[in-house]
Amino acid sequence: MSAALPSPAGDAFSTSPATDPAGQIRRIRRTGFSVGLATGLYGISYGALATASGLDLWQAMVLSAVLFSGGSQFAFVGVIGGGGSAIGAALASILLGVRNSLYGLALSRVLPRGGWRGAARAQLTIDESAATAASGTTPEAARAGFWAAGVWVYVFWNLFSLAGALAGQYVTDPAAWGLDAAAAAAFLALLWPRLRGGEAVAVAVAAAFVALLATPALPSGLPVLAAAMVAVVAGLWPRGTDGSDTGPRRDVEAGTGGGR
């Protein structure tokens, strides 16, 4: 699902007429369905880990339906399951969800901003919907890709989360099923496709080093926040004057590696 999202501020989409616009829209909608099904399967791990970590079925499902950000959800239940506070879990999930606001900025020229459609767009703006929109060469195709991926991911993610949550209620020992490592495995799956440049690798290594140092000294939930601050500092670090690190396009390109 890795794709570079064109900048909507300028030459976001090709101005030449598409050879088969209807065919492209059909194809991108099929892609959105496939992306939704493949991504939704991760929900089984989330649901099982959530209930095994102490959340009841309704708490797990409300979190999935309202927060709807896989990485943030895994962070929340990982901190709770590790004995951390609800505040620490919420802060960890919020930091991981900030990237979705960057996608929203990049897509603002081709998607609705107000009314119920605008609210739905905000809810469905995730890695997969942004990446699928990026594969469209016209505004119409980008919108079709965004809605197809966003809606199908939402449907399948919540369905499989429910299945996992129901199964997790009967798991007495999460470690026996590998659920204690599910969050870490999910984060690795999210991170790996993004390590495409020296800067990304350096930030990841530095964040891991900070987390290792902080884990023995800080309460559960705070090490992940300390590691996240490495990325924040790196993002605020002054760049060169050649423009290679500026603008929303680069931010979105770096975030559409196939995870949520």
Short mmCIF file of all heavy atoms in Angstrom, two decimals, residues 20 42 47 52 77 85 89 93 99 116 128 135 141 146 179-180 189-190 197 206 226 229 239 249 257:
data_model
loop_
_atom_site.label_atom_id
_atom_site.label_comp_id
_atom_site.label_asym_id
_atom_site.label_seq_id
_atom_site.Cartn_x
_atom_site.Cartn_y
_atom_site.Cartn_z
N ASP A 20 -9.49 6.36 -19.46
CA ASP A 20 -10.66 5.61 -19.05
C ASP A 20 -10.99 5.98 -17.60
O ASP A 20 -10.72 5.20 -16.68
CB ASP A 20 -10.40 4.11 -19.19
CG ASP A 20 -11.64 3.28 -18.86
OD1 ASP A 20 -12.74 3.86 -18.79
OD2 ASP A 20 -11.49 2.05 -18.68
N TYR A 42 -5.93 -7.24 10.93
CA TYR A 42 -5.16 -6.83 12.11
C TYR A 42 -6.08 -6.62 13.32
O TYR A 42 -5.63 -6.69 14.46
CB TYR A 42 -4.41 -5.52 11.85
CG TYR A 42 -3.14 -5.67 11.05
CD1 TYR A 42 -3.11 -5.36 9.70
CD2 TYR A 42 -1.97 -6.08 11.66
CE1 TYR A 42 -1.95 -5.48 8.96
CE2 TYR A 42 -0.79 -6.20 10.94
CZ TYR A 42 -0.79 -5.90 9.59
OH TYR A 42 0.37 -6.02 8.86
N GLY A 47 -8.46 -6.75 19.04
CA GLY A 47 -9.58 -7.11 19.89
C GLY A 47 -9.21 -8.11 20.96
O GLY A 47 -9.59 -7.97 22.12
N ALA A 52 -7.99 -9.14 26.64
CA ALA A 52 -7.05 -9.86 27.50
C ALA A 52 -6.29 -8.91 28.41
O ALA A 52 -5.77 -9.33 29.45
CB ALA A 52 -6.07 -10.67 26.65
N VAL A 77 -3.93 -0.08 24.45
CA VAL A 77 -4.11 -1.34 25.17
C VAL A 77 -2.77 -1.90 25.64
O VAL A 77 -2.70 -2.61 26.65
CB VAL A 77 -4.87 -2.37 24.32
CG1 VAL A 77 -6.25 -1.85 23.97
CG2 VAL A 77 -4.11 -2.74 23.07
N SER A 85 -1.02 3.90 33.43
CA SER A 85 -2.23 4.67 33.74
C SER A 85 -3.02 4.97 32.47
O SER A 85 -2.50 4.91 31.36
CB SER A 85 -1.84 5.99 34.41
OG SER A 85 -1.15 6.83 33.50
N ALA A 89 -1.70 6.00 28.68
CA ALA A 89 -2.19 5.29 27.50
C ALA A 89 -2.80 6.27 26.49
O ALA A 89 -2.57 6.16 25.29
CB ALA A 89 -3.22 4.25 27.91
N SER A 93 -1.42 7.14 22.64
CA SER A 93 -2.27 6.96 21.46
C SER A 93 -2.44 8.26 20.70
O SER A 93 -2.48 8.27 19.46
CB SER A 93 -3.63 6.40 21.87
OG SER A 93 -4.34 7.31 22.68
N ARG A 99 -0.22 11.96 13.04
CA ARG A 99 0.10 11.91 11.62
C ARG A 99 -1.14 12.01 10.74
O ARG A 99 -1.07 12.50 9.61
CB ARG A 99 0.85 10.62 11.29
CG ARG A 99 0.00 9.37 11.37
CD ARG A 99 0.84 8.10 11.26
NE ARG A 99 0.02 6.91 11.17
CZ ARG A 99 -0.56 6.32 12.21
NH1 ARG A 99 -0.40 6.84 13.43
NH2 ARG A 99 -1.28 5.23 12.03
N TRP A 116 -21.69 16.71 7.29
CA TRP A 116 -21.49 15.33 7.71
C TRP A 116 -20.41 14.65 6.90
O TRP A 116 -19.70 13.76 7.39
CB TRP A 116 -22.81 14.56 7.63
CG TRP A 116 -23.30 14.30 6.23
CD1 TRP A 116 -24.16 15.06 5.50
CD2 TRP A 116 -22.98 13.17 5.42
NE1 TRP A 116 -24.38 14.50 4.26
CE2 TRP A 116 -23.68 13.33 4.19
CE3 TRP A 116 -22.17 12.05 5.59
CZ2 TRP A 116 -23.58 12.41 3.15
CZ3 TRP A 116 -22.08 11.11 4.56
CH2 TRP A 116 -22.79 11.30 3.35
N GLU A 128 -4.22 4.12 5.18
CA GLU A 128 -4.69 3.38 4.02
C GLU A 128 -5.54 4.24 3.08
O GLU A 128 -5.40 4.15 1.86
CB GLU A 128 -5.49 2.15 4.47
CG GLU A 128 -4.65 1.06 5.09
CD GLU A 128 -4.29 1.34 6.54
OE1 GLU A 128 -4.84 2.30 7.12
OE2 GLU A 128 -3.46 0.59 7.08
N SER A 135 -3.13 7.05 -5.26
CA SER A 135 -3.00 6.30 -6.51
C SER A 135 -3.93 6.82 -7.59
O SER A 135 -3.82 6.39 -8.75
CB SER A 135 -3.26 4.81 -6.27
OG SER A 135 -4.60 4.60 -5.85
N ALA A 141 -10.91 10.25 -9.04
CA ALA A 141 -10.34 8.96 -8.67
C ALA A 141 -9.79 8.99 -7.25
O ALA A 141 -9.91 8.03 -6.49
CB ALA A 141 -9.26 8.56 -9.66
N PHE A 146 -10.17 7.24 -1.71
CA PHE A 146 -10.22 7.58 -0.28
C PHE A 146 -11.44 6.97 0.38
O PHE A 146 -11.33 6.31 1.42
CB PHE A 146 -10.25 9.10 -0.11
CG PHE A 146 -10.45 9.54 1.31
CD1 PHE A 146 -9.36 9.70 2.15
CD2 PHE A 146 -11.72 9.78 1.82
CE1 PHE A 146 -9.53 10.10 3.48
CE2 PHE A 146 -11.90 10.16 3.15
CZ PHE A 146 -10.79 10.33 3.97
N LEU A 179 -0.17 -12.96 22.58
CA LEU A 179 -0.86 -11.67 22.58
C LEU A 179 -0.04 -10.59 23.28
O LEU A 179 -0.21 -9.41 23.00
CB LEU A 179 -2.22 -11.79 23.25
CG LEU A 179 -3.24 -12.67 22.51
CD1 LEU A 179 -4.53 -12.73 23.29
CD2 LEU A 179 -3.47 -12.18 21.10
N ASP A 180 0.84 -11.00 24.19
CA ASP A 180 1.65 -10.01 24.88
C ASP A 180 2.63 -9.34 23.94
O ASP A 180 3.13 -8.26 24.20
CB ASP A 180 2.40 -10.65 26.05
CG ASP A 180 3.25 -11.83 25.61
OD1 ASP A 180 2.89 -12.48 24.60
OD2 ASP A 180 4.29 -12.08 26.26
N ALA A 189 5.46 -3.93 12.17
CA ALA A 189 4.87 -3.99 10.83
C ALA A 189 4.57 -2.60 10.30
O ALA A 189 4.69 -2.34 9.10
CB ALA A 189 3.59 -4.82 10.87
N LEU A 190 4.16 -1.68 11.18
CA LEU A 190 3.91 -0.31 10.76
C LEU A 190 5.19 0.42 10.41
O LEU A 190 5.25 1.21 9.47
CB LEU A 190 3.19 0.45 11.88
CG LEU A 190 1.75 0.04 12.21
CD1 LEU A 190 1.29 0.77 13.46
CD2 LEU A 190 0.83 0.32 11.05
N GLY A 197 14.91 5.63 4.24
CA GLY A 197 15.97 6.63 4.12
C GLY A 197 16.80 6.69 5.38
O GLY A 197 16.41 6.20 6.43
N ALA A 206 17.34 5.97 17.31
CA ALA A 206 17.42 6.85 18.48
C ALA A 206 16.22 6.66 19.39
O ALA A 206 16.35 6.63 20.62
CB ALA A 206 17.52 8.31 18.02
N ALA A 226 8.47 8.95 25.79
CA ALA A 226 9.84 9.45 25.67
C ALA A 226 10.41 9.15 24.29
O ALA A 226 11.08 9.98 23.67
CB ALA A 226 10.72 8.84 26.76
N MET A 229 9.01 11.44 21.66
CA MET A 229 9.58 12.78 21.68
C MET A 229 10.80 12.89 20.78
O MET A 229 11.14 13.96 20.29
CB MET A 229 9.94 13.19 23.11
CG MET A 229 8.73 13.45 23.99
SD MET A 229 7.59 14.67 23.29
CE MET A 229 8.64 16.11 23.19
N ARG A 239 15.85 22.29 8.94
CA ARG A 239 16.28 21.62 7.72
C ARG A 239 17.11 22.56 6.86
O ARG A 239 17.26 23.74 7.16
CB ARG A 239 15.07 21.12 6.91
CG ARG A 239 14.19 20.14 7.64
CD ARG A 239 14.98 18.85 7.95
NE ARG A 239 14.09 17.74 8.24
CZ ARG A 239 13.57 17.47 9.41
NH1 ARG A 239 13.81 18.27 10.44
NH2 ARG A 239 12.79 16.42 9.60
N ARG A 249 3.55 17.31 1.48
CA ARG A 249 3.69 16.15 0.63
C ARG A 249 4.69 15.16 1.20
O ARG A 249 4.45 13.96 1.25
CB ARG A 249 4.11 16.58 -0.77
CG ARG A 249 4.38 15.40 -1.70
CD ARG A 249 4.67 15.87 -3.09
NE ARG A 249 4.92 14.74 -3.97
CZ ARG A 249 5.03 14.84 -5.28
NH1 ARG A 249 4.90 16.01 -5.86
NH2 ARG A 249 5.27 13.79 -6.02
N GLY A 257 3.07 3.97 4.42
CA GLY A 257 3.79 2.73 4.20
C GLY A 257 2.95 1.49 4.42
O GLY A 257 3.47 0.39 4.36
#
